[in-house]
Structure formats: structure tokens, C-alpha cells
């Protein structure tokens, strides 16, 4: 049975108050400005208080940005919060100075300050933007939004829907976002909410027609939650992952796992009968929930159309030269139930217990937090291979800034292009990429409390 209810303790399945449209802008506001500010929205079901969030544009998720491949994007971040913040443009092959990482590419923007981000958009696809300062808190409070870069040759669909999947941890009595100093979140699987939402609503509902063909752009912007998804009353194909088109559409025949920061573009046909329902189904253990409900009203056509053609590939994304590649290794250790013997933190060697006292629980290559020296230094245009070993009990969503990579599979084949790879406990995986983008680029776990608690390094690409 598919449930449509909040996961808040004691919550009833009440209708949520609709949120403002993602793209709504108040009259007179400069569309080139993204203001980070506090707002109140109805996340929990009606009858619960509104939730105070931090937002771009007063909504959750923030204002949708939509552009065309090859455009130059220009946005001025205005910080109306009481804390410093930045903007990171997740998945975009961007100029290093525009990447939005405090201490690596820029200083954080102080309260009352502003920063102009301006860069080209070389690749079509589904991306997102979010704070990269104290991101385990600022993203969880709502500082994130979708960035859609449209292809010049759009696929043959009737319409598209951007579905931003997220979760919030709310106090059921006050509606406030719960605190951020939880040691369990930092040392275990990350900050998991008690209410899952789509585009800010726990009961997202859309109207569709039988045999209508939809493009669903799925984004997981949650702090740590892994969404396990299936289709009911919908059939279709995965056509892109993390913004990058697959060489051939892949039929959806099994559960789709979408880790924190990952995206998937689907082309689906509505197969449910007129008057029926279809669902994007979310699994929670042995229970299923409707992440998004599609009410079927009418027919788009009398029959389904054939399989879609691949999306046009993005330019200069080949990964070649594997035999002569620069090789590196990333060893992850720490976390609850395993820890580490010793690691370097703040320039000196410490044991796990001492590191944990300062809320640092994870180490990569024997370092807690950002090391003084990069993981690797590559020449521009050099192929790089990194073997990653997860010697922890928990999954990690490993994200590389400024580049996409392919997984090197057993037998030497290559997986699809991605910018974030989900690794489970005790797994060993290898990635390969061409270091085409000069600068220092962050490489970290996108379970954001894990990054804050030690899982952060960087690579350097020489100009």
C-alpha cells in the first residue's frame, strides 16, 4: 500500500498549504539578483505552524533558474542573513573563481554584502545551486534551488516537470527546523529529516493524461537522505544522470537510488488508466510512500509512442588515456562503530576519541578536514584515475567540483558520466576524468554533516 502521510511524529495526513510557485518573483525585483533571506512557508501539513526557512526568493526550493546551453549566467548574491554565505553551482563546468567555496575560491559573503557570479553554461542538463558555507546547516534550512540548462534540440515530450526531492527535520510542536548540533548526525549516516517533500510539499500532486509523455527532472537536495524510487502507473527511461546524457536511454526496470546531490532525468509515459493514479514511489524500509502523485484525467493519445532517442551529448566530455593516467588513492575511515586509530587534525596527530570531542569523526588519507596539500596535482588535459576505498560503516556521496567523471568498471569498461558517486560501506570504486578545468577543486562527501566532520579534500589542476 502506498501511504500519503507526513513522517512527523503523530502527524495526520492533512492537506498542505500550497507554496508560492518556484519561479515567482515579486514585482520590481531585479531577476539577476538572488537574495538569501529568511522566509516562512508551510512545509508541514495544514494545522501545523509555518516553518521559518532561509531561502532564495522566499520559497522552498529557491527560485528556479532556467537558461539555454551556451548562455552566460549572471547572478548577484545579496546576503540578507545574519551569517556569511556563498553560492556553489553544483555540476557546472565553471571558472574556478565562480565555484563558491569559502577558503578555496572566494571569501564568504558577509551579512549585508554581495557577490557577482558570472560564467558560461557549456553543458545542457539538470543542475542546482546551494550555499557552500556551513552547508550542512544552510542547505538544510532551505538555501538551494534548481538550475536547468536547456538543450538547443529539446526531446519529444508533451511537457516537463522539475521535482526537487528533499527532507526537513521539524519540531512537531513549533514547526521550526530542529537544531544542528546532533552528534549522531555527524558520526552516523548524516542528518535525516522527519518529513520528505517534493518542491516543498509533502503531498505533491500533479494532473496528467493517459499516454502523456513527461520529462521528469529529479534532484536530490537533501542533506544526507538517499531516495529509493520506483514508478507506478508510469513507464519509461533514464536519459541523463547528474546532468549528463546517457549514450542510450536506459529502461527503468529496478529501484532508482538517488543519493544526496545526485540528479536523474527520466522520460516517462503515463500508463495508468483515465481516472486512475500514478506515483513516483519512495521506499522507506519495507514501507512505500507516494513521493509525487499523478492524477490521470483524460487521454493525450490513443497509444504510446516509441522509445525516445538519446539526448544530444555535451561537448568535450570524453575520458581517454586511461593507461597513461595519473593515479591517486582516497582512503575513507572513521565514523561510529569503527572510528580510526589516528589521523592528522589541525597539524597534529590525534586519536579518534580526541577528534570526536571537536565533532570531527571522519578522515580521508589520514587527514581530518581540508589538508594543506591537495590530494593530487594534474596537468591541464591530463587523465586522472582515483581509487576510493570506503572503510566505514556508512554510505558516502562523493562529489567532485568542476568536473564530471566516469567509474572504471570491472573489466575496464566505463560507467556513465557523473559528478557524485554513491559508495556504500566497505566498497572500493575507481573513477577517471580528464582534468580540463584549472584551479583548486573541492572533493568531498555530500552527506553534508560528513563533510563538516572531516570528509573534505581538494585536487589541483595546473593552468
Amino acid at each position: 500500500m502506498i501511504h500519503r502521510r507526513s513522517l512527523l511524529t503523530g502527524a495526520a495526513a492533512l492537506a498542505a498549504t500550497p507554496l508560492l510557485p518556484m519561479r515567482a518573483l515579486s514585482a520590481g525585483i531585479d531577476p539577476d539578483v538572488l537574495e538569501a533571506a529568511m522566509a516562512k512557508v508551510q512545509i508541514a501539513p495544514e494545522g501545523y505552524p509555518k516553518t521559518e526557512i532561509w531561502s532564495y526568493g522566499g520559497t522552498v526550493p529557491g527560485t528556479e533558474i532556467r537558461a539555454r546551453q551556451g548562455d552566460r549566467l549572471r547572478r548577484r548574491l545579496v546576503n540578507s542573513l545574519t551569517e556569511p554565505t556563498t553560492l556553489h553551482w553544483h555540476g557546472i563546468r565553471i571558472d574556478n573563481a565562480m565555484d563558491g567555496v569559502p577558503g578555496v575560491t572566494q571569501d564568504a559573503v558577509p551579512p549585508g554584502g554581495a557577490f557577482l557570479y558570472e560564467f558560461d553554461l557549456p553543458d545542457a542538463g539538470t543542475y542546482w545551486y546551494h550555499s557552500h558555507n556551513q552547508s550542512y546547516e544552510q542547505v538544510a534550512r532551505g538555501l538551494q534551488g534548481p538550475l536547468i540548462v536547456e538543450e538547443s534540440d529539446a526531446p519529444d515530450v508533451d511537457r516537463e516537470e522539475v521535482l526537487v526531492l528533499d527532507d526537513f527535520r521539524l519540531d512537531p510542536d513549533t514547526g521550526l527546523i530542529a537544531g544542528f548540533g546532533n552528534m549522531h548526525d555527524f558520526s552516523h549516516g548524516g542528518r535525516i529529516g522527519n518529513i520528505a517533500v517534493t518542491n516543498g510539499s509533502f503531498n505533491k500532486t500533479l494532473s496528467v493524461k493517459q499516454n502523456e509523455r513527461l520529462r521528469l527532472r529529479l534532484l536530490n537536495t537533501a542533506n544526507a537522505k538517499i531516495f529509493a524510487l520506483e514508478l507506478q502507473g508510469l513507464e519509461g527511461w533514464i536519459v541523463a544522470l547528474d546532468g549528463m546524457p546517457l549514450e542510450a536511454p536506459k529502461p527503468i526496470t529496478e529501484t532508482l537510488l538517488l543519493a544526496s546531490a545526485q540528479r536523474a532525468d527520466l522520460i516517462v509515459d503515463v500508463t495508468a488508466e483515465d481516472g486512475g493514479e500514478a506515483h513516483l514511489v519512495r521506499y522507506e524500509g519495507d514501507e512505500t510512500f507516494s513521493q509525487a502523485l499523478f492524477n490521470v484525467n483524460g487521454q493525450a493519445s490513443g497509444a504510446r509512442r516509441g522509445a525516445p532517442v538519446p539526448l544530444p551529448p555535451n561537448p568535450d566530455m570524453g575520458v581517454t588515456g586511461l593507461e597513461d593516467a595519473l593515479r591517486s588513492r582516497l582512503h575513507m575511515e572513521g565514523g561510529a562503530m569503527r572510528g580510526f586509530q589516528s589521523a592528522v587534525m589541525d597539524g597534529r596527530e590525534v586519536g579518534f576519541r580526541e577528534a570526536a570531542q571537536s565533532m570531527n569523526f571522519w578522515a580521508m588519507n589520514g587527514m581530518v578536514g581540508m589538508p594543506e596539500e591537495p590530494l593530487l596535482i594534474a596537468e591541464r588535459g591530463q587523465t586522472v584515475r582515483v581509487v576510493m576505498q570506503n572503510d566505514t560503516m556508512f554510505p558516502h556521496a562523493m562529489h567532485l567540483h568542476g568536473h564530471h567523471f566516469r567509474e572504471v568498471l570491472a573489466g575496464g569498461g566505463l560507467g556513465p558520466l557523473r559528478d557524485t558517486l554513491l559508495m556504500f560501506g566497505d566498497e572500493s570504486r575507481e573513477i577517471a576524468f580528464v582534468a580540463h578545468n584549472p584551479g583548486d577543486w573541492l572533493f568531498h562527501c555530500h552527506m553534508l554533516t560528513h563533510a563538516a566532520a572531516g570528509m573534505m579534500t581538494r585536487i589541483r589542476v595546473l593552468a
Side-chain angles (χ1 to χ4, degrees), residues 338-349:
R338 190 166 291 182
F340 50 75
Q341 286 295 110
S342 66
V344 175
M345 183 181 74
D346 297 330
R348 64 186 185 88
E349 191 166 315

Side-chain angles (χ1 to χ4, degrees), residues 365-402:
N365 286 7
M367 299 290 299
V368 175
M370 184 67 75
E372 291 186 9
E373 297 297 324
L375 173 70
L376 60 92
I377 299 175
E379 298 285 343
R380 187 174 186 177
Q382 187 173 18
T383 300
V384 178
R385 296 175 65 163
V386 182
V387 174
M388 297 186 291
Q389 176 66 44
N390 180 7
D391 280 338
T392 81
M393 298 284 288
F394 297 95
H396 301 293
M398 297 305 298
H399 171 51
L400 176 61
H401 286 217

Side-chain angles (χ1 to χ4, degrees), residues 21-295:
M22 282 194 299
R23 302 181 75 176
L25 291 172
S26 299
I29 292 180
D30 185 344
D32 288 342
V33 168
L34 279 176
E35 182 184 10
M38 290 188 293
K40 283 191 175 182
V41 298
Q42 191 74 45
I43 295 174
E46 188 176 350
Y48 286 90
K50 288 186 176 183
T51 298
E52 184 177 278
I53 62 166
W54 298 356
S55 170
Y56 308 109
T59 62
V60 57
T63 303
E64 179 183 303
I65 299 175
R66 189 171 285 263
R68 301 280 291 186
Q69 185 175 14
D71 284 355
R72 187 163 180 83
L73 187 68
R74 177 186 173 94
R75 288 295 186 276
R76 186 164 63 93
L77 171 65
V78 175
N79 185 8
S80 296
L81 301 170
T82 58
E83 297 184 7
T85 192
T86 63
L87 274 176
H88 169 56
W89 308 88
H90 188 113
I92 300 293
R93 291 193 286 175
I94 202 169
D95 294 337
N96 187 251
M98 297 288 104
D99 198 43
V101 181
V104 178
T105 67
Q106 69 171 98
D107 294 330
V109 180
F115 187 91
L116 178 63
Y117 294 90
E118 188 172 8
F119 49 89
D120 294 329
L121 296 168
D123 303 316
T126 301
Y127 308 101
W128 62 302
Y129 62 94
H130 62 82
S131 167
H132 220 293
N133 189 58
Q134 299 291 336
S135 55
Y136 74 92
E137 177 177 354
Q138 294 194 4
V139 175
R141 289 189 181 276
L143 287 177
Q144 46 87 1
L147 169 57
I148 307 302
V149 184
E150 297 175 340
E151 305 91 352
S152 56
D153 186 11
D156 179 21
V157 297
D158 295 315
R159 76 175 206 255
E160 76 169 48
E161 296 288 344
V162 178
L163 301 180
V164 180
L165 314 183
D166 201 355
D167 66 350
F168 285 86
R169 185 182 296 174
L170 304 182
D171 184 313
D173 295 323
T174 66
L176 295 175
I177 296 175
F180 292 90
N182 189 320
M183 184 177 289
H184 187 278
D185 295 342
F186 282 74
S187 60
H188 288 69
R191 179 185 174 87
I192 305 296
N194 55 7
I195 181 169
V197 298
T198 301
N199 295 354
S201 174
F202 86 98
N203 60 353
K204 179 66 175 177
T205 303
L206 297 161
S207 181
V208 296
K209 296 179 180 180
Q210 186 184 24
N211 293 327
E212 188 173 15
R213 176 158 284 188
L214 310 174
R215 179 180 187 165
L216 303 181
R217 297 181 184 262
L218 308 182
L219 302 88
N220 181 358
T221 65
N223 201 286
K225 185 178 182 64
I226 301 168
F227 282 86
L229 304 167
E230 290 188 3
L231 302 177
Q232 180 175 300
L234 304 165
E235 292 181 4
W237 302 261
I238 302 171
V239 295
L241 292 170
D242 291 355
M244 293 295 144
L246 301 185
E247 294 177 1
K250 179 182 178 182
I252 302 169
T253 58
E254 57 189 21
T255 301
L256 171 64
L257 293 182
L258 210 60
S260 173
Q262 290 185 326
R263 290 90 65 211
D265 284 41
L266 315 181
I267 290 181
V268 301
D269 295 334
V270 179
T271 57
E273 296 292 327
D274 183 12
E277 293 180 348
H279 298 269
L280 177 64
V281 176
R282 179 183 87 252
Y283 281 85
E284 300 276 0
D286 58 359
E287 288 191 283
T288 55
F289 300 89
S290 181
Q291 186 68 30
L293 165 66
F294 302 83
N295 284 320

